[in-house]
Amino acid sequence: MPKQVDHRERRETIARALWRVVAQRGATHLTMREVAQEAGISLGQLQHYFGSRAQMLSFAMDFSAEQSALRVGRELAALGERPHPRDVLRVMLLELLPLHADARATSRMSAAYVLEALHDEEVHARARGGLIEGRATVERLLRQAAADGHLPADRDPAVETDLLLALTGFSTLLELGVVGPAAVLAAVDLHLERLFAAPGGAEGTAPAGEATAGPAAVGEASEEAGH
């Protein structure tokens, strides 16, 4: 009998090959022919799964987001049942920075995806939608933190969301060796400490009986953090 092909597995193999092409040779080499060669298949086989470079790149980004969400989920589970929102946000932020091999591949993929989005309306819509969803997740966490008494009353969740996401700009500095991982971790930790510090220097704490980020919030964060 002919060997049954697992189409999902083949797509994932192509996605990982695409990651390697971007990570090792750069976005300028991101052609369907290069990816097919890296994946060890013919160009015709690749085109059976993806009709265009944009479709291939979009799937690779979706798969990357799934893998990121799994990593975030494991990190959040290790924090316990009701982690402090500061710790939840730290996990999510660090996953968006190129601090380990998989995150570096995702970061470089994202850069290639943004370049594609600037010239392809469909990719633009997908990329923009994912970023809007990710930003909304962070803002929901901050608003819940405020409601639970963890975020000082003088902090605006919308503004603080944008400031937190601005920290992902460290990606470029890390990739080009302008700063090192230790400096980035120190900056992220200091920002989060200041964010949750009450006026006068004390850290914001929840009123008696108030919960921290519960399982539902943590689960939602792990599902959406990769977008």
Side-chain angles (χ1 to χ4, degrees):
M1 293 180 62
K3 182 180 179 181
Q4 295 294 315
V5 176
D6 185 327
H7 294 292
R8 171 69 183 185
E9 182 179 352
R10 177 61 62 83
R11 285 172 176 264
E12 291 180 3
T13 297
I14 293 170
R16 291 185 185 279
L18 190 154
W19 295 357
R20 293 193 297 274
V21 169
V22 172
Q24 298 168 10
R25 283 168 265 174
T28 56
H29 289 272
L30 187 54
T31 66
M32 297 184 74
R33 188 175 300 279
E34 288 270 359
V35 173
Q37 183 177 353
E38 180 66 30
I41 61 176
S42 69
L43 178 60
Q45 286 175 304
L46 186 147
Q47 290 172 329
H48 173 74
Y49 294 97
F50 303 106
S52 68
R53 180 178 183 274
Q55 288 178 7
M56 178 180 66
L57 183 56
S58 292
F59 176 81
M61 281 301 300
D62 289 345
F63 180 58
S64 177
E66 291 174 11
Q67 298 303 302
S68 293
L70 289 174
R71 291 193 295 272
V72 168
R74 289 193 292 267
E75 292 287 333
L76 293 179
L79 295 178
E81 185 178 356
R82 294 186 178 277
H84 193 287
R86 174 194 57 231
D87 299 325
V88 173
L89 287 166
R90 185 179 192 273
V91 167
M92 295 171 66
L93 276 174
L94 295 188
E95 178 59 30
L96 295 173
L97 295 171
L99 294 169
H100 56 81
D102 287 338
R104 280 193 294 275
T106 299
S107 176
R108 293 171 187 181
M109 276 287 304
S110 296
Y113 197 53
V114 169
L115 289 175
E116 192 79 16
L118 295 176
H119 305 286
D120 186 302
E121 291 185 3
E122 183 178 348
V123 175
H124 182 280
R126 286 172 58 87
R128 184 174 184 274
L131 289 172
I132 289 173
E133 184 179 353
R135 185 193 176 285
T137 298
V138 175
E139 185 170 343
R140 281 196 298 273
L141 285 171
L142 285 175
R143 290 194 181 280
Q144 187 61 53
D148 291 342
H150 290 294
L151 197 67
D154 64 338
R155 307 288 196 266
D156 181 336
V159 172
E160 298 300 340
T161 294
D162 293 335
L163 290 173
L164 281 169
L165 293 178
L167 293 174
T168 62
F170 275 121
S171 292
T172 301
L173 299 179
L174 282 164
E175 290 280 33
L176 297 181
V178 177
V179 297
V184 171
L185 291 173
V188 169
D189 286 336
L190 180 59
H191 182 84
L192 289 171
E193 287 172 12
R194 289 174 173 173
L195 173 61
F196 287 98
E203 181 181 321
T205 56
E210 292 289 345
T212 58
V218 171
E220 181 181 350
S222 66
E223 290 174 2
E224 298 183 1
H227 288 280

